[in-house]
Structure formats: C-alpha cells, structure tokens
Amino acid sequence: MKRWMIVVLGVTLMLWGGCGKGSTNPDDGTEEPPKDVRAEVQQLINDGWAAFESGDFETAVTTFTDAIVKENGKYDTLRAEALSGRGWSRIYLSELQKARNDFDGGNRLKTTQQVKNDIKAGFGVVFNALNMYSSCASILEGLLNAAPDYQFQHRPAVTAFRLRLMAAQSYYALGNFVKVASHLDVLDPDNAPHDSNDPEALLRALEQLQGN
C-alpha cells in the first residue's frame, strides 16, 4: 500500500534581446552608448516571471533561457535567479531532471538568500516527485529551519505549510515516524503531541492536512 505517495502541490504535472556593438550615428559621427546588459537581463528575468505567474511555462522557459544566454557568466546573482525561474517553470512542464539541473547550477552561484530559498524549495518539490524522499526531507527541513515562514512569491500556494507537509510525507515514506510526528506538531498544533508509535494515526493526520 502506497497511500503515503501524495503529491502535495500537484506539480509533478503541477526567459535575448541582442546587444551589438555601438553603431556610428551618420549625422554627427558619434558612437551610440553601449546598452546596459545587466538591465536587459533583469528585464528578461522579470518577463520570465510574468510568464510563469500567468501559467505560460513554455514562454517562461524560453525567456529565462534568453536571460541566461545574455548574462553570459557576468552576473552570478541574475544568473542564479534565471536558473531558478527556469527550474520552477520546468517543474510545471514535468521536465524534472532538467529542473534539477537548473537548481543545481543556480545553487552553486553567489546570490541572494531569497533566491537560495526558492532554489531549495524547488529542489524539494523535484526530489519528492522523483521519489527521492531522503533528499526531499533533508533539503526542506534545512529550508524551513532557516525560513519557517517561507512563501514562494511567484507562486503563493507554495508555502512553508505545504513544504513542511511534503517533508513529513517524505519522512513517512522513509519510516522515520519520529520526524513525521515532530513536523505534524508544527502543522497541527491543536492535536499535538503526535504519537510517533502510531503510524496509522500519523498517516490519517497527513491525509487530513492534505486538503488544507
């Protein structure tokens, strides 16, 4: 029986403008100022998130990819965010291994804590969808310890509550009922403490919280 294999977020099915060299103005012989590549990359990232938030994940992937190409290794912070955005978009296109690769690339770069948290949350979703429960539980627990009120700003339904529930389900799949009970105590404090020696009761509690 695999009743514990619950898809919490419903996400397992759940962006280059050219920047050429300055040209000569035939009127006065002066050279046009170079375009601000950083600003262009940021605009592409903004456009990618807009497509993502509207549910156009294919356009989001294309636009984030354009940002990555134009960034060309110059701005780690922007590259990490574009990789995060492409990874999240690929989750919703069920391109899980590609999403994992994007998150891995973004996680290796220096960037803001918010982007790091978004990458960790994305990793957790991917690991859960790939039945990599140990990796899922570990990375989500680390995220939630550091940011207990986390919420993914580009998809508000992805909350600390949902990610903690996913971590608890992963621990259940691993048979670590002590961890399940501890997460349930946070998720459902009215019924705490939860008994780690009663797996069936823990499962019922997980299933009841699924609809919240």
Side-chain angles (χ1 to χ4, degrees):
M1 179 177 70
K2 296 184 179 180
R3 295 168 57 203
W4 43 262
M5 293 180 68
I6 307 166
V7 182
V8 175
L9 302 175
V11 297
T12 46
L13 284 179
M14 279 234 297
L15 146 330
W16 119 328
C19 180
K21 296 180 179 179
S23 59
T24 300
N25 187 321
D27 295 329
D28 57 16
T30 60
E31 191 176 77
E32 292 182 356
K35 294 181 180 179
D36 186 343
V37 175
R38 187 186 186 97
E40 290 183 4
V41 174
Q42 183 64 69
Q43 186 58 56
L44 284 167
I45 291 172
N46 294 344
D47 292 344
W49 285 126
F52 176 87
E53 291 168 5
S54 71
D56 188 353
F57 304 118
E58 291 183 353
T59 296
V61 167
T62 299
T63 310
F64 283 126
T65 299
D66 289 348
I68 292 165
V69 171
K70 178 166 284 295
E71 182 277 333
N72 195 29
K74 297 182 180 70
Y75 311 106
D76 277 10
T77 299
L78 295 181
R79 187 176 188 85
E81 185 177 0
L83 284 166
S84 174
R86 192 170 68 177
W88 272 100
S89 302
R90 283 171 163 169
I91 287 175
Y92 288 90
L93 293 172
S94 298
E95 298 175 350
L96 298 176
Q97 189 57 55
K98 288 182 178 180
R100 180 182 178 184
N101 292 341
D102 283 338
F103 292 137
D104 185 61
N107 197 45
R108 297 173 184 271
L109 300 171
K110 292 182 179 179
T111 187
T112 66
Q113 189 60 52
Q114 182 63 55
V115 171
K116 286 286 189 182
N117 289 345
D118 293 344
I119 288 172
K120 290 177 181 179
F123 261 136
V125 174
V126 169
F127 289 146
N128 181 267
L130 294 174
N131 299 334
M132 298 173 63
Y133 298 117
S134 181
S135 296
C136 174
S138 177
I139 200 162
L140 290 184
E141 182 152 15
L143 168 61
L144 293 167
N145 285 340
D149 298 319
Y150 173 82
Q151 183 172 36
F152 185 34
Q153 62 179 323
H154 303 290
R155 183 66 57 165
V158 183
T159 62
F161 180 93
R162 289 291 167 190
L163 295 175
R164 190 176 296 279
L165 182 56
M166 182 178 285
Q169 291 169 336
S170 293
Y171 279 124
Y172 193 96
L174 295 166
N176 190 336
F177 303 127
V178 172
K179 282 289 190 180
V180 177
S182 69
H183 282 290
L184 281 172
D185 288 346
V186 177
L187 292 164
D188 184 21
D190 290 343
N191 292 307
H194 293 78
D195 187 358
S196 61
N197 294 311
D198 190 348
E200 284 298 320
L202 295 177
L203 179 58
R204 287 193 299 270
L206 291 173
E207 291 176 334
Q208 289 170 1
L209 291 172
Q210 176 67 22
N212 292 350

